[in-house]
């Protein structure tokens, strides 16, 4: 592979951007979710058990244990971490000097701290993915900032220290685990929609938060939806092994296929920062040569290649054609693709059984692990070879220590990751080395490696289930409570929310899939709305005046379950159709025996009031002031404003660093200010490495030499 300096920088910038969005999105929701008057107060999750300080920190790794030392309660500590995380991530995104190991360690530790008290509202796969990616960024980031012109130790390849590509390889391995497992679980779940290739005829309508494009995509022909499911299986199951292909063009083809899938998901669904984070992971498939390629390079003269190099190029080309041919044949054969010229359609169906797929999965899971072992071994040998090129014993000793530390960490994380990866195939999981299981169990709570499997089953096959809250003052006339983002009013178009994640709206989607007893937090939501708590109301409507009971809390509250469908083309002023199904939550009021029983059952009663903190605390006052300034802004607007600010600053940075064309000067003036050449400049020029493939730009032309 060519050097990976630019992809590593792109990866670190991307991780910083995702952390910025994640922290900022969480900050806007903390009072309503975790405050003293929130749905699930965070203070209940951190209660000392009489253990030692370090044991307590290891078992529940969160910096919020130290919040009382600053005179803050748990919620205020969470707000402080979110604000600092947002600012630190913003700095790392904009300033190269801040993209260091320490900064990413702080970002990872801050998000892990929030994760420990986040409860069900933070238990999403992308939260775990961000933590795992964030820890990899800690290893990828340099120990201290280096200037652009600073070179690697003498003899280093592609301007990199010997160890630098090792942690970055783990990013590629993580991308492989994420995509391969996400494709496999769709079939191991035995979901009839995935097996029948009809999943996308439901997906756009039944996903948590659709976009306006979802409505239009939903009405595409069925044969095209089925063909897209086939393409999804191809991209998620067949393509990921190419991440480790020895041929560069195969890796680039895999990169662009993954980018295409993620961009289409972004257009048709609001999945917060998840797809952006996946795109960040794909940078591990790139190299410096691809990112710095220019059209002018195609006109460079090629040097005469030796016969071994020519043979290698021919074999690489044959390997590419073979793999593309196998992918095409396998897709046509296993999904029965047939072109219907009369109807201008491509028909598809699965031609294999669940038993056949299970046998295939059992056969390939262990080899994919060995594929990872082989690829990692190659990276280790490459790093070792680069180390042998380092000159000077002090420098060689220093790089040897770095190589030993980062090499050991890379191998350890790879071994740990094999355990959650093996969950896709139970028999392989049982045959895994017991030492890997023990190592994984030791660090599992740190979220260093996780299992993934997105869109395992397609829900809402008979219509999208949706919970609609209703309030009343007299128990007879009920008024619907409309959320900012989730479907409710059939005339309102689906919003564009990403990269913000409205966590209450997401949990409302999960709650609608079963009885309310499966979502204990829902009873806490009902209680806070009956009490008229503004932080919770702002989760539903950030503009409190749009909340129907903003003047006085409702006396009664209930919830109904509906089924929603996208409206048909031609229906004026309607995006949805809906039908009442059943009562989801019975009518209750404050002091109602049913409500009290549910609160006791789920442990949601306020048995002890929150400990009062001094109102004169300067830090607490500063946090309150910041909250007061930002609360009028809708969360999605705030995040889009952050994105616009980053874009504007980057434009200014680009203009500032843009080289200015020299102005014309009288003859002789340029020579007057030109410094005298050094005595050994000619020798240094002779020692300079020649441009690859005899490519010389105009500035390197002998005719321009002065």
């Amino acid at each position: 592979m060519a050097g990976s300096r630019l992809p590593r920088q792109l990866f670190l910038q991307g991780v910083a951007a995702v952390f910025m969005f994640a922290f900022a999105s969480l900050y806007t929701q903390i009072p309503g979710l975790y405050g003293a008057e929130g749905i699930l107060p965070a203070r209940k999750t951190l209660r000392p058990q009489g253990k030692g300080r370090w044991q307590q920190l290891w078992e529940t790794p969160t910096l919020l244990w130290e919040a009382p030392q600053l005179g803050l309660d748990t919620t205020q500590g969470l707000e402080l971490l979110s604000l600092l995380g947002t600012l630190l991530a913003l700095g790392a995104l904009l300033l190269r000097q801040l993209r260091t190991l320490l900064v990413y360690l702080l970002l990872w530790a801050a998000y892990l701290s929030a994760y420990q008290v986040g409860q069900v509202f933070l238990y999403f796969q992308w939260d775990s993915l961000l933590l795992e990616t964030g820890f990899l960024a800690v290893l990828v980031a340099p120990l201290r900032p280096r200037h652009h012109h600073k070179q690697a130790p003498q003899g280093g390849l592609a301007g990199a220290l010997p160890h630098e590509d090792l942690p970055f390889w783990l990013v590629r391995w993580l991308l492989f685990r994420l995509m391969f497992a996400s494709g496999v679980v769709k079939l191991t779940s035995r979901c009839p929609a995935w097996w029948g290739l009809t999943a996308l005829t439901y997906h756009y309508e039944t996903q948590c938060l659709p976009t306006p494009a979802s409505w239009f995509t939903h009405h595409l022909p069925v044969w095209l939806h089925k063909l897209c499911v086939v393409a999804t299986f191809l991209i998620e199951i067949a393509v990921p092994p190419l991440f480790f292909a020895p041929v560069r063009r195969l890796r680039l083809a895999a990169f662009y296929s993954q980018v295409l899938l993620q961009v289409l998901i972004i257009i048709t669904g609001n999945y917060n920062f998840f797809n952006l984070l996946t795109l960040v992971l794909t940078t591990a498939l790139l190299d410096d040569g691809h990112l710095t390629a220019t059209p002018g390079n195609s006109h460079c003269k090629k040097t005469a290649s030796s016969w071994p190099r020519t043979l290698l190029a021919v074999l690489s080309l044959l390997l590419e054609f073979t793999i593309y041919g196998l992918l095409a044949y396998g897709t046509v054969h296993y999904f029965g693709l047939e072109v219907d010229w009369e109807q201008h359609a491509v028909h598809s169906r699965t031609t294999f059984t669940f038993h056949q797929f299970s046998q295939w999965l059992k056969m390939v899971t262990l080899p994919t692990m060995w594929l990872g072992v082989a690829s990692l071994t190659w990276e280790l040998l490459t790093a070792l070879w680069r180390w042998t090129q380092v000159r000077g014993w002090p420098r060689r000793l220093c790089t040897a220590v770095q190589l030993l530390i980062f090499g050991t960490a890379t191998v350890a994380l790879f071994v740990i990751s094999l355990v959650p990866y093996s969950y896709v195939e139970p028999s392989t999981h049982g045959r895994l080395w017991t030492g890997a299981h023990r190592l994984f169990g030791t660090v599992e709570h740190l979220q260093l490696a996780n299992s993934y499997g997105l869109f395992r089953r397609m829900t809402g096959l008979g219509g999208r289930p949706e919970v609609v809250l209703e309030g009343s003052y007299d128990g007879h006339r009920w008024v619907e409570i409309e959320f900012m983002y989730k479907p409710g009013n059939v005339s309102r178009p689906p919003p564009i929310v990403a990269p913000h994640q409205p966590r209450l709206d997401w949990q409302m989607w999960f709650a609608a899939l079963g009885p309310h007893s499966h979502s204990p937090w829902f009873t806490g939501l009902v209680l806070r709305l009956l009490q008229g708590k503004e932080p919770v109301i702002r989760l539903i409507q950030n503009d409190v005046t749009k909340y129907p009971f903003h003047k006085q809390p409702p006396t009664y509250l209930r919830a109904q379950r509906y089924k929603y469908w996208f409206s048909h083309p031609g229906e004026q002023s309607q995006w949805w159709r809906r039908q009442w199904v059943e009562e989801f939550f019975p009518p209750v009021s404050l002091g109602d025996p049913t409500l009290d029983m549910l609160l006791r059952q789920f442990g949601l009663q306020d048995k002890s009031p929150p400990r009062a903190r001094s109102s004169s605390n300067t830090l607490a006052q500063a946090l309150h002031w910041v909250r007061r300034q930002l609360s009028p802004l809708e969360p999605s607007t705030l995040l889009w404003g952050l994105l616009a600010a980053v874009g504007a600053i980057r434009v200014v940075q680009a203009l500032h660093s843009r080289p200015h064309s020299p102005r014309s000067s009288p003859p002789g003036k340029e020579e007057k200010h030109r410094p005298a050449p050094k005595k050994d400049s000619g020798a240094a020029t002779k020692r300079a490495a020649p441009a690859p493939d005899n490519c010389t730009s105009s500035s390197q032309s002998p005719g321009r030499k002065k």
Side-chain angles (χ1 to χ4, degrees):
M1 284 187 68
S4 62
R5 181 181 60 85
L6 293 177
R8 287 200 308 271
Q9 284 299 317
L10 200 58
F11 169 73
L12 292 175
Q13 291 181 71
V15 172
V18 175
F19 266 125
M20 180 185 71
F21 291 135
F23 278 120
S25 175
L26 179 62
Y27 172 78
T28 62
Q29 305 171 76
I30 288 174
L33 295 179
Y34 306 118
E37 298 179 344
I39 300 173
L40 295 176
R43 63 185 175 85
K44 296 183 178 181
T45 62
L46 292 182
R47 292 179 176 172
Q49 303 295 327
K51 299 177 181 179
R53 183 177 185 179
W54 293 109
Q55 182 183 359
Q56 183 175 261
L57 184 62
W58 172 254
E59 293 180 356
T60 308
T62 174
L63 298 174
L64 295 175
W65 287 115
E66 305 302 318
Q69 305 298 324
L70 300 175
L72 305 176
D73 58 28
T74 305
T75 305
Q76 291 171 329
L78 188 55
E79 288 190 357
L80 179 62
L81 279 180
S82 299
L83 282 174
L84 292 179
T86 303
L87 294 176
L88 196 59
L90 177 62
L93 177 59
L94 296 175
L95 300 175
R96 184 188 181 94
Q97 294 79 4
L98 288 179
R99 293 177 211 139
T100 61
L101 183 149
L102 177 60
V103 169
Y104 285 93
L105 180 62
L106 291 174
L107 290 173
W108 174 79
Y111 204 75
L112 180 64
S113 299
Y115 181 85
Q116 296 297 325
V117 301
Q119 303 167 80
V120 68
F121 292 109
L122 231 63
Y123 290 170
F124 292 96
Q125 289 195 50
W126 36 83
D127 292 310
S128 299
L129 181 63
L130 178 55
L131 284 170
E132 185 171 351
T133 306
F135 191 78
L136 296 184
V138 174
L139 301 179
V140 172
L143 188 60
R144 59 180 182 273
R146 292 203 303 263
H147 299 292
H148 288 280
H149 63 273
K150 189 171 183 179
Q151 298 298 321
Q154 191 171 354
L157 185 63
L161 292 170
H163 73 273
E164 286 185 338
D165 281 342
L166 290 178
F168 198 46
W169 178 88
L170 287 172
V171 178
R172 204 183 337 161
W173 173 246
L174 172 57
L175 177 66
F176 169 79
R177 287 164 40 218
L178 172 68
M179 301 311 302
F180 186 75
S182 295
V184 164
V185 298
K186 292 176 174 60
L187 295 174
T188 57
S189 67
R190 301 196 185 197
C191 175
W194 286 116
W195 277 91
L197 306 182
T198 59
L200 293 184
T201 61
Y202 306 103
H203 166 73
Y204 303 110
E205 180 179 70
T206 61
Q207 62 183 320
C208 179
L209 296 176
T211 65
S214 304
W215 186 93
F216 297 97
T217 313
H218 175 74
H219 293 291
L220 292 173
V222 173
W223 70 265
L224 186 55
H225 284 305
K226 298 178 74 172
L227 194 62
C228 289
V229 173
V230 173
T232 301
F233 285 134
L234 177 67
I235 293 174
E236 291 186 344
I237 298 178
V239 170
L242 298 183
F243 297 169
F244 308 102
V247 181
R248 179 170 176 262
R249 285 189 296 265
L250 287 174
R251 295 193 301 271
L252 292 178
F255 165 78
Y256 284 109
S257 68
Q258 302 302 318
V259 169
L260 175 63
L261 177 62
Q262 299 306 317
V263 169
L264 291 176
I265 295 175
I266 290 173
I267 293 173
T268 58
N270 286 296
Y271 290 96
N272 50 80
F273 57 79
F274 166 64
N275 303 111
L276 175 60
L277 182 56
T278 307
L279 288 173
V280 170
L281 294 177
T282 62
T283 58
L285 302 177
L286 300 174
D287 55 52
D288 291 340
H290 185 66
L291 292 177
T292 57
T294 57
N297 288 344
S298 60
H299 302 292
C300 297
K301 297 179 181 179
K302 300 295 181 181
T303 58
S305 301
S306 59
W307 70 265
R309 183 169 296 182
T310 303
L311 178 62
L312 186 62
V314 172
L315 291 177
S316 298
L317 196 60
L318 289 176
L319 178 62
E320 284 186 70
F321 284 133
T322 301
I323 289 178
Y324 292 142
L326 288 174
L327 289 176
Y329 171 78
T331 304
V332 173
H333 176 72
Y334 289 108
F335 293 100
L337 299 186
E338 296 178 356
V339 179
D340 189 334
W341 299 105
E342 294 183 359
Q343 299 183 6
H344 303 286
V346 178
H347 300 297
S348 54
R349 69 186 190 283
T350 50
T351 61
F352 54 93
T353 64
F354 177 79
H355 175 73
Q356 290 173 327
F357 179 76
S358 299
Q359 292 300 312
W360 174 85
L361 184 60
K362 186 180 298 185
M363 182 178 64
V364 303
T365 302
L366 199 57
T368 57
M369 294 182 182
W370 284 111
L371 175 64
V373 170
S375 180
L376 178 56
T377 302
W378 175 260
E379 293 290 338
L380 289 168
L381 292 175
T382 303
L384 188 61
W385 178 83
R386 290 179 180 177
W387 174 76
T388 62
Q389 306 304 303
V390 177
R391 298 180 183 177
W393 281 107
R395 184 171 290 172
R396 177 172 287 195
L397 180 61
C398 179
T399 53
V401 172
Q402 292 176 329
L403 181 58
L404 178 63
I405 294 174
F406 284 92
T408 303
T410 300
V411 172
L413 285 174
F414 172 71
V415 172
I416 290 171
S417 70
L418 293 178
V419 177
Y421 170 64
S422 65
Y423 291 158
V424 298
E425 210 289 300
S427 65
T428 303
H429 178 74
R431 297 201 306 269
L432 209 57
W433 178 46
T434 56
H437 286 281
R438 288 196 299 268
L439 192 58
F440 174 73
T442 303
V443 299
E444 183 178 6
H445 64 296
L446 298 178
Q447 302 296 311
L448 300 184
N450 303 279
S451 61
Y452 303 101
L454 299 163
F455 306 109
R456 185 185 303 267
R457 297 188 64 88
M458 196 54 56
T459 59
L461 301 187
R464 171 198 182 94
E466 198 68 59
V467 172
V468 176
L469 277 166
E470 296 177 341
S472 173
Y473 288 121
D474 56 10
H476 299 289
R477 182 178 176 273
W478 295 89
V479 179
E480 290 189 9
I481 298 175
E482 188 174 352
F483 283 63
M484 282 187 290
Y485 307 115
K486 83 178 194 69
N489 186 342
V490 295
S491 301
R492 192 187 65 174
I496 296 178
V497 181
H500 171 57
Q501 182 184 358
R503 296 182 180 268
L504 176 59
D505 295 64
W506 269 86
Q507 286 299 335
M508 289 289 289
W509 181 79
F510 283 108
L513 302 177
H516 72 84
S517 57
H518 289 179
S519 304
W521 59 266
F522 190 85
T523 304
L525 171 64
V526 170
L527 173 66
R528 296 311 187 193
L529 293 180
L530 287 172
Q531 293 172 340
K533 300 302 183 182
E534 183 176 324
V536 177
I537 293 174
R538 285 188 176 275
L539 295 176
I540 297 173
Q541 287 292 345
N542 192 69
D543 184 356
V544 179
T545 60
K546 294 182 179 180
Y547 181 69
F549 302 99
H550 65 278
K551 294 183 178 179
Q552 180 182 346
T555 307
Y556 301 95
L557 210 63
R558 71 180 184 185
Q560 308 285 356
R561 196 198 313 266
Y562 285 82
K563 284 195 174 180
Y564 276 65
W565 298 269
F566 272 139
S567 61
H568 297 300
E571 294 186 28
Q572 295 291 333
S573 303
Q574 277 200 341
W575 288 81
W576 298 96
R577 297 175 293 116
R578 75 176 188 179
Q579 178 182 345
W580 181 85
V581 177
E582 61 184 351
E583 184 179 75
F584 179 79
F585 195 89
V588 294
S589 60
L590 290 177
D592 188 289
T594 301
L595 179 62
D596 291 341
M597 182 268 294
L598 290 173
L599 292 173
R600 285 194 304 272
Q601 179 181 343
F602 300 135
L604 297 174
Q605 283 186 317
D606 291 325
K607 298 179 180 179
S608 58
R611 186 180 302 174
R613 299 285 175 184
S614 174
S615 59
S616 61
N617 187 312
T618 304
L619 187 54
Q621 290 178 344
L623 290 172
H624 180 69
W625 181 85
V626 173
R627 172 68 61 187
R628 193 167 62 249
Q629 303 306 311
L630 296 180
S631 59
L633 294 175
E634 185 180 330
S636 57
T637 304
L638 177 62
L639 266 67
W640 279 105
L642 263 178
L643 183 61
V646 169
I649 294 174
R650 294 307 294 267
V651 169
V652 172
Q653 286 178 330
L655 292 175
H656 181 71
S657 60
R658 185 179 178 182
H660 299 285
S661 58
R663 296 182 180 179
S664 59
S665 56
K669 190 172 183 179
E670 185 179 353
E671 286 78 0
K672 181 179 179 181
H673 295 282
R674 182 183 300 145
K678 294 183 179 180
K679 184 175 181 180
D680 296 334
S681 61
T685 304
K686 291 179 182 179
R687 288 195 300 267
D693 297 330
N694 289 346
C695 295
T696 55
S697 64
S698 59
S699 62
Q700 296 170 325
S701 174
R704 294 290 299 276
K705 187 179 293 185
K706 297 181 181 178

